[in-house]
């Protein structure tokens, strides 16, 4: 930097600062700091003429258009404001004297130092190349991360279409399926959390994807850096490389932040292509977020060390006082807090606190990153593009949620009819609709309760039953009474059980349940079964009476999950085995209902499982009342099906007077059918159940939903039989935090 005759100097002393204007000379007997303003540059003829001649002479040799030359001059001379043009500022006589490399002052029009120009050009060229590498690596990470779920979907489709001979023991496909795609990472633990609930272990397949993702990020963060010396920006190689590493980490953090936002979305388009469920998608979301936070920390640490070690503490203090620096600190701190507040023990103990704090911290992070870039670079380098992408993903998901909620809630006018399953903490929710919902096996819906104190919250419920046929006469749904709020609690509705029409007087599961609404009904429905936990569900369950239903106004977001890509294996299955534990019956019962309906319609009309000729549902449940209720109102009645293609196996694991009379493992003969329905007392032997249905030269698909330990046992059994040469696929639905 050279000084001009309009440069302002500030004396730095222990007695305060003193400003003085110095022309042509500089006091050398005191420590001075010079500051040249934009106005000074724009009004100084030697600077203007020297700059104009430099731009003109060098740019002409590289055939740069005059318009670009003039724009460059305007930006450098007067920071883009109105000023003399390049042509107006050119000296009348070309300068002949070159500015010395160590010159401090520019008092007359001079040639730029040739060595300095070459160093500066080399500095800028290398910086531009490294910046391009930042972009290239960010795009590579994005492409790999999107390709991972798409490759998963392609694998699921291809393996489902392969002939049996290509799936038997000894084939490459069988080995990959048995040793990589199916097993848990270590032993059999996957869906059950680790000790002290520190987290979950991913499956081997997911671990492979995560490792690939991490490798790409490590390479992106550590290779491709170049140095040029002498350098007009950095005195030595170390601060130069440190700046490049810090920039790279920051850009990659933005890219991974956008990915984390995408994979947190309910409406991620990749869900339709990958066959991933929401739990798998959230697993990838967490890893992307961890990497983004780690890179943000690296960015902060590297730049702080660069300032302190290579530029001096005074420079660091000056930078730390600037707004961009503080916004960076705010964003990094918010990201760090997200890691702490997202720990599994806290998520499980106080999920509502986690959710609210997570949303607030995400907003703070995105705003902090935005102002960090805007204050420092003013959109000069395009760093904000990844933030635009993150904003777009987040806004798209939220906007789609709002649109779906408004559309489905206004067009279908849903109300929820809730009834307690006596003797349990389970609740049956029947959602009554003006028009049918696009429901199906494996789908779930998010429900808002507008009359609650937390009307903004949405709660996921698995759809376990629905009316498939749209009725021609869609009359108006009976207006359900909207209970008032009293101290944020719900009041019960005394006449709400009249909505569906018809009552059940058994008393086992509460009055008002009806297995099949009549064909003449003018109301469509979907049913969900859930256990009361904390928050909203416990509040609802506490207000329910054994002989009375509770009707609430609700809003719904339509249906999620159950995508075609997640059911590829079912299209080619000869046998389907559904294993459920507890309220996991809500997931598998939908497949049982679909199979029963397709069987009644004939084999030529089968939609989901066209080749399946044997369907077995095995359910382990603690409460006898819940089993009785689901057999009566939720599961298909086997006597309605002409053939013997469906079979039920039930295990009662709790205590009841009836069960005390039963010997362990002794089957209870059902009144429905001695062969097709069996009940046992005790714990289900998963390996025995899977092995009992396994057949050679047959494709078996095992679906499981239940506690983590049950899912892990089923996965281990499926893996074992797959390694023994059986063709078996595995579909898991997790209710994990």
């Amino acid at each position: 930097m050279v000084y001009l005759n309009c440069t302002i100097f500030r004396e730095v002393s222990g007695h305060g600062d003193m400003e003085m204007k110095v022309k042509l000379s500089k006091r050398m007997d005191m420590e001075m700091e010079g500051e040249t303003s934009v106005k000074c540059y724009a009004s100084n003829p030697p600077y203007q003429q020297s700059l104009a001649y430099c731009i003109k002479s060098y740019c002409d040799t590289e055939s740069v258009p005059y318009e670009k030359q003039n724009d460059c001059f305007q930006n450098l001379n007067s920071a883009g404001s109105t000023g003399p043009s390049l042509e107006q500022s050119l000296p009348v006589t070309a300068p002949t004297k070159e500015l010395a490399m160590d010159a401090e002052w520019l008092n007359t029009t001079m040639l730029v130092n040739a060595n300095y120009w070459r160093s500066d050009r080399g500095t800028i060229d290398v910086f531009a190349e490294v910046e391009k590498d930042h972009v290239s690596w960010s795009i590579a990470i994005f492409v790999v991360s999107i390709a991972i779920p798409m490759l998963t979907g392609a694998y699921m489709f291809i393996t489902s279409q392969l002939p049996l001979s290509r799936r038997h023991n000894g084939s490459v496909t069988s080995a990959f399926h048995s040793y990589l795609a199916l097993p848990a990472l270590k032993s059999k633990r996957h869906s059950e959390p680790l000790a002290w609930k520190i987290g979950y272990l991913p499956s081997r397949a997911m671990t492979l994807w995560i490792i690939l993702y991490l490798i790409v990020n490590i390479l992106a963060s550590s290779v491709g850096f170049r140095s040029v010396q002498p350098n007009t920006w950095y005195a030595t190689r170390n601060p130069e490389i440190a700046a490049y590493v810090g920039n790279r980490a920051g850009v990659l953090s933005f890219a991974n932040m956008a990915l984390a936002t995408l994979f947190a979305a309910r409406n991620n388009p990749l869900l339709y292509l990958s066959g991933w469920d929401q739990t798998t998608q959230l697993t990838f979301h967490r890893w992307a977020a961890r990497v983004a936070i780690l890179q943000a920390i690296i960015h902060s640490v590297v730049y702080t060390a660069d300032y302190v070690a290579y530029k001096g503490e005074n420079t660091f203090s000056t930078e730390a006082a600037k707004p961009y620096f503080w916004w960076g600190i705010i964003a990094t701190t918010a990201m760090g807090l997200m890691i702490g507040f997202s720990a599994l023990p806290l998520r499980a103990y106080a999920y509502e606190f986690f959710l609210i704090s997570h949303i607030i911290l995400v907003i703070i992070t995105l705003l902090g990153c935005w102002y960090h870039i805007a204050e420092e670079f003013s959109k000069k380098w395009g760093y904000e593009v990844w933030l635009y992408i993150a904003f777009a993903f987040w806004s798209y998901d939220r906007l789609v949620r709002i649109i779906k909620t408004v559309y489905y809630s206004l067009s279908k006018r849903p109300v929820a009819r809730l009834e307690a399953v006596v003797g349990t903490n389970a609740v049956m929710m029947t959602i009554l609709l003006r028009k049918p919902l696009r429901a199906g096996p494996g789908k779930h819906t998010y429900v808002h309760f507008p009359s609650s104190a937390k009307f903004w919250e949405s709660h996921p419920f698995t759809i376990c039953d629905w009316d498939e046929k749209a009725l021609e006469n869609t009359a108006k749904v009976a207006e359900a009474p909207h209970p008032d709020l009293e101290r944020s609690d719900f009041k019960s509705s005394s006449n709400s059980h009249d909505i569906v029409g018809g009552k059940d007087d058994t008393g086992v599961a509460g009055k008002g349940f009806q297995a099949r609404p009549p064909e003449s009904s003018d109301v469509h429905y979907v049913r969900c079964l859930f256990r009361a936990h904390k928050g909203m569900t416990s509040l609802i369950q506490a207000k329910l009476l054994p002989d009375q239903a509770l009707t609430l106004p609700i809003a719904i977001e339509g249906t999620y999950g159950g995508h075609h890509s997640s059911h590829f294996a079912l299209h080619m299955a000869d046998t389907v085995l559904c294993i459920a534990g507890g309220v996991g019956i809500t997931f598998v019962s939908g497949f049982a209902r679909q199979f029963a309906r397709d069987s009644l319609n004939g084999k030529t009309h089968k939609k989901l499982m066209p080749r399946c000729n044997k369907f077995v549902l095995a359910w382990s449940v603690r409460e006898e009342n819940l089993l009785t209720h689901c057999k009566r109102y939720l599961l298909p009645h086997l006597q309605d099906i002409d053939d013997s293609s469906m079979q039920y196996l039930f295990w009662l694991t709790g205590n009841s007077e009836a069960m005390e009379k039963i010997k362990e493992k002794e089957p209870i003969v059902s009144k429905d059918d001695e062969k097709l329905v069996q009940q046992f007392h005790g714990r289900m032997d998963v390996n025995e159940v899977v092995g009992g249905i396994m057949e050679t030269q047959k494709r078996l698909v095992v679906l499981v939903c239940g506690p983590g330990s049950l899912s892990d046992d089923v996965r281990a059994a499926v893996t074992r039989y797959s390694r023994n040469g059986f063709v078996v696929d595995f579909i898991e639905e997790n209710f994990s935090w």
Side-chain angles (χ1 to χ4, degrees):
M1 175 184 289
V2 293
Y3 301 112
L4 307 179
N5 62 0
C6 53
T7 298
I8 301 298
F9 288 93
R10 183 186 301 273
E11 178 185 353
V12 181
S13 65
H15 303 288
D17 296 344
M18 177 180 67
E19 291 186 3
M20 62 185 72
K21 187 172 182 179
V22 180
K23 295 185 179 181
L24 305 180
S25 63
K26 176 183 175 184
R27 293 279 303 274
M28 302 303 296
D29 57 342
M30 61 182 67
E31 185 179 355
M32 307 288 286
E33 290 183 354
E35 180 179 347
T36 306
S37 66
V38 173
K39 183 179 180 180
C40 175
Y41 283 121
S43 61
N44 186 269
Y47 172 78
Q48 285 184 336
Q49 294 174 9
S50 299
L51 176 63
Y53 188 81
C54 175
I55 292 174
K56 183 68 174 175
S57 58
Y58 280 104
C59 289
D60 280 350
T61 60
E62 297 185 8
S63 301
V64 178
Y66 173 79
E67 290 76 14
K68 288 189 176 182
Q69 294 183 36
N70 187 58
D71 289 343
C72 176
F73 175 77
Q74 294 285 348
N75 287 328
L76 293 175
N77 180 57
S78 53
S81 60
T82 303
S85 66
L86 172 66
E87 187 174 358
Q88 292 170 340
S89 301
L90 287 171
V92 177
T93 304
T96 57
K97 187 176 180 181
E98 186 177 277
L99 188 68
M101 194 73 169
D102 58 350
E104 293 187 359
W105 290 90
L106 178 64
N107 301 318
T108 61
T109 303
M110 304 187 74
L111 294 171
V112 68
N113 186 279
N115 291 331
Y116 182 88
W117 186 90
R118 283 191 291 270
S119 297
D120 197 46
R121 179 59 182 267
T123 299
I124 294 172
D125 286 345
V126 169
F127 177 81
E129 291 174 3
V130 175
E131 286 291 312
K132 290 180 181 178
D133 289 344
H134 298 343
V135 176
S136 298
W137 278 112
S138 300
I139 294 175
I141 289 173
F142 213 80
V143 169
V144 168
S145 302
I146 291 177
I148 286 173
M150 295 183 68
L151 287 172
T152 302
Y155 168 80
M156 294 171 64
F157 174 75
I158 293 172
T159 54
S160 68
Q161 302 299 315
L162 288 175
L164 285 173
S165 59
R166 298 289 301 277
R167 293 286 305 273
H168 277 295
N169 198 18
S171 67
V172 175
T173 304
S174 175
F176 182 87
H177 192 69
S178 302
Y179 292 93
L180 291 176
L182 282 177
L185 177 62
K186 182 181 180 182
S187 181
K188 66 176 184 178
R189 198 155 193 165
H190 169 60
S191 298
E192 186 178 10
L194 298 170
W196 304 295
K197 291 187 177 181
I198 61 174
Y200 298 94
L201 281 177
S203 65
R204 289 187 187 178
M206 192 65 192
T207 301
L208 285 176
W209 294 135
I210 292 172
I211 290 174
L212 174 61
Y213 168 74
L214 293 177
I215 288 174
V216 175
N217 271 278
I218 291 171
L219 290 174
S221 302
S222 56
V223 302
F225 301 110
R226 293 174 292 283
S227 173
V228 58
Q229 292 293 331
N231 192 297
T232 56
W233 295 1
Y234 306 100
T236 63
R237 183 179 184 276
N238 286 346
E240 179 188 8
I241 297 299
Y244 296 157
V245 171
N247 284 345
R248 177 75 60 81
V251 174
L252 296 181
S253 178
F254 281 2
N256 283 297
M257 196 182 304
L259 282 171
T261 306
L262 172 64
F263 282 96
R266 291 179 191 172
N267 297 284
N268 182 1
L270 292 174
L271 284 171
Y272 298 92
L273 303 172
S274 64
W276 283 7
D277 56 20
Q278 192 75 12
T279 300
T280 305
Q281 178 177 264
L282 289 177
T283 298
F284 202 88
H285 154 75
R286 293 186 187 108
W287 280 98
R290 290 163 186 161
V291 171
I293 293 171
L294 178 60
Q295 288 166 338
I297 293 173
I298 292 173
H299 171 79
S300 302
V301 170
V302 168
Y303 258 107
T304 300
D306 185 28
Y307 282 130
V308 173
Y310 301 117
K311 297 182 181 179
E313 293 185 3
N314 289 337
T315 303
F316 174 74
S317 300
T318 301
E319 292 296 317
K322 294 180 179 178
Y324 89 92
F325 199 96
W326 278 103
W327 279 113
I329 292 175
I330 291 171
T332 305
T333 302
M335 294 173 77
L337 289 174
M338 273 194 286
I339 285 286
F341 292 165
S342 299
L344 180 58
L346 182 60
R347 291 205 310 270
Y349 178 75
Y351 183 79
E352 291 182 357
F353 169 77
F354 151 74
L355 187 61
I356 294 173
S357 65
H358 204 69
I359 294 172
I360 293 173
L361 290 172
V362 166
I363 294 173
I364 292 174
T365 297
L366 292 176
L367 290 176
C369 290
W370 171 261
Y371 285 110
H372 176 66
I373 295 302
E375 292 286 345
E376 177 66 359
F377 300 108
S378 301
K379 302 181 182 179
K380 290 180 180 178
W381 298 102
Y383 297 133
E384 70 280 356
V385 171
W386 288 113
L387 293 178
Y388 286 147
I389 295 174
F391 288 141
F393 287 153
W394 191 85
S395 301
Y396 165 78
D397 182 52
R398 298 290 165 171
L399 181 62
V400 170
R401 292 189 197 183
I402 294 172
I403 292 174
K404 291 174 71 173
T405 302
V406 172
Y407 171 76
Y408 283 105
S409 300
L410 291 181
S411 66
K412 301 183 186 298
R413 297 288 301 277
V415 292
R417 185 167 182 267
L418 301 119
E419 299 162 275
V421 180
V422 177
T424 74
N425 67 340
V427 177
M428 178 71 85
M429 178 171 65
T430 303
I431 299 176
L432 307 170
L433 307 143
R434 286 171 57 102
K435 300 178 182 179
L437 194 66
R438 293 177 62 87
K443 290 186 177 292
H444 60 276
T445 185
Y446 286 88
V447 178
H448 298 257
F449 294 93
S451 56
S452 72
K454 299 178 180 179
F455 58 88
W456 63 87
E457 292 183 351
S458 60
H459 304 265
F461 296 98
T462 300
I463 297 173
C464 48
D465 184 21
W466 63 96
D467 58 339
E468 189 177 51
K469 184 178 180 181
L471 301 179
E472 296 181 359
N473 181 20
T474 309
K476 186 177 181 180
V477 176
E479 292 292 338
H482 291 188
D484 296 327
L485 287 174
E486 183 179 67
R487 296 186 304 277
S488 301
D489 292 340
F490 296 113
K491 292 181 180 179
S492 178
S493 173
S494 60
N495 61 345
S496 59
H497 60 270
D498 295 330
I499 293 178
V500 173
K503 303 177 183 178
D504 175 66
D505 57 1
T506 60
V508 174
K511 294 183 178 180
F513 285 117
Q514 189 172 355
R516 296 179 179 84
E519 287 294 319
S520 61
S521 173
D522 56 5
V523 177
H524 299 274
Y525 75 97
V526 294
R527 280 203 176 109
C528 308
L529 178 72
F530 62 90
R531 285 194 186 277
H533 292 287
K534 298 178 182 178
M536 181 66 64
T537 54
S538 64
L539 182 62
I540 291 173
Q541 197 263 346
K543 291 298 178 181
L544 291 177
L545 299 176
D547 59 347
Q548 194 173 64
L550 174 66
T551 300
L552 298 175
I554 62 170
I556 58 174
E557 286 185 31
T559 57
Y560 291 86
H563 303 304
H564 181 75
S565 57
S566 62
H567 296 158
F568 283 142
L570 290 171
H571 297 306
M572 303 297 291
D574 299 304
T575 305
V576 174
L577 170 63
C578 292
I579 299 179
V583 291
I585 191 65
T586 58
F587 175 74
V588 301
S589 64
F591 293 91
R593 279 206 170 272
Q594 187 65 55
F595 180 82
R597 286 167 173 166
D598 288 347
S599 297
L600 291 173
N601 292 332
K603 292 185 177 181
T604 58
H605 295 87
K606 287 187 176 181
K607 298 178 180 178
L608 183 61
M609 298 165 272
R611 296 181 51 177
C612 180
N613 51 35
K614 186 176 183 180
F615 187 101
V616 178
L617 189 152
W619 182 25
S620 176
V621 58
R622 185 172 65 250
E623 305 99 327
E624 188 176 8
N625 277 9
L626 183 58
L627 173 61
T628 303
H629 170 79
C630 290
K631 284 173 59 180
R632 182 173 298 165
Y633 301 116
L634 190 59
L635 296 176
H637 293 177
L638 298 187
Q639 61 266 32
D640 295 339
I641 303 174
D642 295 335
D643 56 21
S644 58
S645 57
M646 290 192 74
Q647 181 182 1
Y648 292 155
L649 303 173
F650 301 126
W651 278 262
L652 282 167
T653 61
N655 296 318
S656 69
E657 295 182 1
M659 291 169 57
E660 291 175 359
K661 302 176 182 179
I662 306 170
K663 296 180 180 179
E664 187 174 359
K665 295 294 184 181
E666 181 180 347
I668 308 172
V669 178
S670 171
K671 296 179 181 180
D672 296 331
D673 194 299
E674 295 183 2
K675 295 181 179 179
L676 301 181
V677 181
Q678 290 185 325
Q679 293 181 190
F680 301 90
H681 175 209
R683 182 182 175 86
M684 180 195 303
D685 188 331
V686 169
N687 193 61
E688 181 180 311
V689 172
V690 176
I693 199 173
M694 200 74 66
E695 298 179 73
T696 58
Q697 300 301 319
K698 296 285 186 180
R699 293 176 184 264
L700 171 65
V701 176
V702 178
L703 296 93
V704 62
C705 183
S709 57
L710 174 67
S711 295
D712 289 346
D713 287 341
V714 176
R715 179 185 291 271
V718 168
T719 302
R720 188 180 306 112
Y721 283 103
S722 178
R723 291 175 181 175
N724 289 335
F726 293 95
V727 180
V728 54
D729 289 294
F730 181 69
I731 299 175
E732 179 185 26
E733 179 76 4
N734 271 331
F735 291 158
S736 58
W737 292 99

